[in-house]
Amino acid sequence: MRTIKIFDTTLRDGEQSPGASMNTAEKLQLAKQLARMGVDIIEAGFAIASPGDFEAIKTIAGDVEGPIICSLARAKEEDIKRAWAAIKDAPKKRIHTFHSTSEIHLKHQYRIGPKEALKRSVEMVKLAKSFTDDIEFSPMDATRTDIGYLCEVIEAVIKAGATTVNIPDTVGYSIPSEFGAMIKKIRKRVKNIDKAVISVHCHNDLGLSTSNSLAAVLNGAGQIECTINGIGERAGNCSMEEVVMALRTRRDLFNADTNINTKEIMRSSRLVTSITGMRVQPNKAIVGANAFSHESGIHQDGLLKEKTTYEIITPESIGLGKTKYVLGKHSGRNAFRTRLSELGYTLSDDEINNAFKLFKEIADQKKDMYDEDLAALVSSEVSTVPEKYKLIKMSVSSGTDQKPSATIKMRVGTKNIQKTQKGDGPIDAIFKAITGITGTKSRLLKYEVKAITGGTDALGEVIVSLEEDDISVTGHGADTDIITASAKAYINALNKITARKK
Ligand code: KIV
Ligand code: ZN
């Protein structure tokens, strides 16, 4: 039985999804969850991309134990030095450097020939090797690269010190039989291939990223690059929960497994949704809301007689326990703290106290508080950025025969400011009043409301994505009143923009 390494790139390629940007505190929280889940390597970011990326990688390198912490770097001296500076404090570290190899990229984007690309790749692997032993090299757009040249590059970078060679299907172009055959050819033709692990990095443009990764495993790949919920550039990356559960469920076929504690899958999926605001489609394999719902009468009949008739994996195996934990207004601070820590949140005493205060207020209106409610409450109330803007109070009036109007009182720095604004609807009026107070010029990219759990007293979670000066962020707000939740989400997003600008 082989153990396939799981290389998680949610914090790097995943963050490249439009609207999925995360701040350092959010990245750290997610990295800790990935470590708890047992991933082998965390690609924590692209150090040279921005000071924010650098800071996040450095924080994760200093704070997260277990997995290897990796930074991406183009095959350029300044990138590699920056990657090293970001990861050097991690107990286990890796530099991942890449250069395109396909003719289409070299001719149109890099405007260099194949010899120059090979030379740069080898030189930069050698430079990276002067900092650390664990080096990964990716020939970008490998699946559209001439196989002879690809093998030449792979052999040369292994000779220069690469310990992992990653084969990216950068544009999601390949199909499983072809991709599997490519891995087989690489293993056959590259003389020193036994000195490196073959990794694969598949994008999902044709919906084949999981199948391609699995085909690669069948042909000898030893590492899979993937993201939670499959988020990533364009149509996303191979989804971790899918490959991991496919390998686990069909161990008989693959003769391989991973180190992942699959019971952490659901918690990780929810955390990514709550941080990025990117919801999972209901029919998504493994983590979609319908993944374990059986509608057909024939299926239900079979299930009642014997679970395995229509269920190939159990909900419990991905951490969807049968027991729903319910807290209510009589629950104490200790039960609240314990449940949050079981859900993966590490909060300071002050944060617990603030969240507990709101929990009590909400529990007065809403009888049962489920795990999903607690997660929404934490994303809304525990700010991961300094709060320049804070909601003090608000009132809204709207009706069929009046123009909606909102009065908002906020604290801005040390001042309290109040404003009333009319709008096309109550939400429009609130957002106008808030921008009137803050003087911000953000563009609204997304506004979403979700009832977290059933019932008319359900906690409503609002997600607001804003963009200003090329910075896009996602804010959260939760409340039993969705109008209040909307104001909180908008203000949370504005605080994130302010922090990012700094
Ligand atoms: O898709 C891709 O080719 C990448 C590389 C940087 C590995 O993300
Ligand atoms: Zn990618």
Side-chain angles (χ1 to χ4, degrees), residues 11-26:
L11 295 170
R12 199 276 297 169
D13 218 329
E15 208 210 7
Q16 287 173 219
S17 311
S21 65
M22 307 172 221
N23 61 36
T24 299
E26 291 166 335

Side-chain angles (χ1 to χ4, degrees), residues 361-382:
E361 282 167 23
I362 293 175
D364 253 343
Q365 301 155 49
K366 180 181 177 349
K367 205 170 138 274
D368 297 326
M369 295 282 284
Y370 294 96
D371 289 350
E372 295 84 340
D373 295 316
L374 298 183
L377 194 144
V378 171
S379 328
S380 161
E381 293 311 307
V382 180

Side-chain angles (χ1 to χ4, degrees), residues 12-13 72 96 98 138 140-141 166 168-170 201 203 225:
R12 199 276 297 169
D13 218 329
L72 186 66
H96 175 194
F98 69 98
S138 293
M140 189 154 80
D141 204 16
N166 179 42
D169 185 19
T170 303
H201 175 110
H203 278 272
E225 303 201 353

